[in-house]
């Protein structure tokens, strides 16, 4: 699966961030961070190593990262968002 934390620029967890997981044009799932800034997408992938896109968005901020997930693997993808004004 894919999981991680989302913190602001001073290290505080950010709750309510939407995280979209996709491969190619197929969206596999959408999850939201909890009060600790943690998200987890439970997904058992079997097959060749494949690229996945992890997109985090909060208000007008959006960031995308590409990761490679291997069969029966796990990837941690963390984000840092600008500190809210």
């Amino acid at each position: 699966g894919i999981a991680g934390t989302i913190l602001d620029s001073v290290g505080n967890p950010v709750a309510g961030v939407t995280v979209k997981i996709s491969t190619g044009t197929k969206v596999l799932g959408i999850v939201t961070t909890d009060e600790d800034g943690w998200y987890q997408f439970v997904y058992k992938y079997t097959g060749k190593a494949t690229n996945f896109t992890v997109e985090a968005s909060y208000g007008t901020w959006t960031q995308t990262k590409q990761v490679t997930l291997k069969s029966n693997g796990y990837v941690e993808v963390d984000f840092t968002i600008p500190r809210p004004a």
Side-chain angles (χ1 to χ4, degrees):
I2 298 172
T5 56
I6 300 181
L7 305 175
D8 67 17
S9 59
V10 293
N12 297 314
V14 182
V17 178
T18 301
V19 181
K20 180 170 67 172
I21 313 293
S22 58
T23 182
T25 59
K26 182 178 180 184
V27 175
L28 301 173
I30 298 174
V31 295
T32 305
T33 57
D34 65 12
E35 64 274 2
D36 297 318
W38 173 257
Y39 72 91
Q40 182 173 357
F41 176 66
V42 178
Y43 181 72
K44 183 176 180 176
Y45 173 72
T46 57
K48 296 181 190 176
T50 300
N51 293 327
F52 288 79
T53 301
V54 182
E55 178 183 293
S57 59
Y58 186 73
T60 60
W61 173 85
T62 300
Q63 186 175 2
T64 302
K65 293 186 179 182
Q66 298 289 323
V67 296
T68 301
L69 187 61
K70 296 179 181 180
S71 183
N72 297 311
Y74 165 83
V75 178
E76 183 173 344
V77 184
D78 300 321
F79 293 89
T80 302
I81 69 170
R83 185 175 183 181

